[in-house]
Amino acid sequence: MSDALLWTALADPHRRAIVALLLERPRPVGEIVEACGLSQPGTSKHLKVLREAGLVRVRQDAQRRVYALDPGPIAELDAWLAPYRTLWNTSLDALGDRLDETAPDTSEKPAPKD
Amino acid sequence: MSDALLWTALADPHRRAIVALLLERPRPVGEIVEACGLSQPGTSKHLKVLREAGLVRVRQDAQRRVYALDPGPIAELDAWLAPYRTLWNTSLDALGDRLDETAPDTSEKPAPKD
DNA sequence: CCAGCATATAACTGTCGAGGCATATTTGAT
DNA sequence: ATCAAATATGCCTCGACAGTTATATGCTGG
């Protein structure tokens, strides 16, 4: 489908934070609310956007709704990225002076900031 | 810089189209205007957003301004994506055939922890 | 300097989305 | 049946942003 939903979903920093949270483990809404410091309805809305983008799925457990990450759409993102990856692999030398901006130790832990 | 600019820049479909155009080759503004079917000022505004996100650079050639893609920020996107890549390695390796990950010979930067 | 092309900026408008509060809905417990 | 807990939805406001037209800026040749 159109990846417009995917991009708009990930465009919001709160939603990226939620996605990062769910990368660690599935969580009920309450935990997510507390983690991202938003109101519960606001968080629910973000979760709805993420659901409609296919980024998360819900499992019902008593009154709780446990949200979990769905890797599919993120794989789509990776596919979108693929053509560009060749670009910086090949032109790494030419533009390398611009590329070494990030600290060399940023690839150790899966700790998405933001 | 903050990747918020990067995400918001790529959130717009016209801007993604421009980025795709510049992947093929650098282009002056006129070409981009014609390609994405927007007004010239509108296109210029999008280019400004892409510039401020670091996604494109400009080279002045007489009256023309030739825009070219800068792979740096897209590499940041790839870095953001990295933790999630492991996720679909484990769960659905059906689409995992494209994951050469970052090139193995990029000894310049320590390879993502695989 | 002047004319003309190519691009950027300004000012304005309409739309969309984020965030808040109040409320509805669903589920479990007593 | 009733109540409480957990989550979703409706309504509202406000600010951000895309897109337009008109105008300014910059560059080049004559």
Side-chain angles (χ1 to χ4, degrees):
Chain A
M1 304 307 175
S2 78
D3 43 13
L5 289 175
L6 175 59
W7 282 103
T8 41
L10 289 175
D12 186 87
H14 281 138
R15 285 195 290 262
R16 288 199 300 277
I18 292 176
V19 165
L21 272 177
L22 296 183
L23 173 63
E24 302 174 9
R25 63 170 181 275
R27 296 174 194 263
V29 177
E31 269 188 44
I32 305 174
V33 168
E34 189 177 351
C36 65
L38 275 178
S39 68
Q40 176 267 315
T43 306
S44 242
K45 250 200 247 177
H46 282 307
L47 288 170
K48 182 178 189 177
V49 175
L50 291 171
R51 245 184 299 144
E52 287 169 346
L55 276 161
V56 299
R57 40 181 233 282
V58 207
R59 188 201 68 189
Q60 188 134 9
D61 171 53
Q63 302 114 332
R64 311 258 172 84
R65 292 202 166 201
V66 180
Y67 279 80
L69 208 58
D70 189 334
I74 307 191
E76 275 183 45
L77 237 191
D78 188 66
W80 181 90
L81 208 54
Y84 303 95
R85 195 167 346 211
T86 73
L87 186 104
W88 79 74
N89 274 343
T90 58
S91 64
L92 188 62
D93 307 316
L95 303 163
D97 48 338
R98 211 187 178 297
L99 273 189
D100 54 80
E101 77 307 28
T102 41
D105 55 346
T106 47
S107 62
E108 187 51 45
K109 290 176 64 67
K113 39 173 187 174
D114 198 35
Chain B
M1 292 307 185
S2 77
D3 44 12
L5 290 174
L6 175 60
W7 283 103
T8 42
L10 290 174
D12 185 87
H14 281 138
R15 286 194 290 261
R16 287 200 301 277
I18 292 177
V19 165
L21 272 177
L22 297 183
L23 174 62
E24 303 174 9
R25 63 172 181 274
R27 296 174 194 261
V29 177
E31 269 188 44
I32 305 174
V33 168
E34 189 177 350
C36 67
L38 275 178
S39 66
Q40 177 267 314
T43 307
S44 240
K45 192 173 178 252
H46 282 308
L47 287 171
K48 181 178 188 177
V49 175
L50 291 171
R51 244 184 299 143
E52 287 169 346
L55 276 161
V56 299
R57 335 186 303 277
V58 206
R59 187 201 69 189
Q60 189 133 10
D61 171 53
Q63 302 113 332
R64 311 260 170 83
R65 293 198 169 203
V66 180
Y67 279 79
L69 207 57
D70 189 333
I74 308 191
E76 275 183 45
L77 238 191
D78 188 67
W80 181 91
L81 208 55
Y84 303 94
R85 196 165 299 139
T86 73
L87 187 103
W88 75 73
N89 271 342
T90 60
S91 55
L92 49 131
D93 54 311
L95 344 148
D97 44 343
R98 67 166 54 264
L99 42 93
D100 341 326
E101 277 150 336
T102 39
D105 53 342
T106 54
S107 51
E108 172 100 27
K109 307 173 60 149
K113 41 93 201 98
D114 180 2

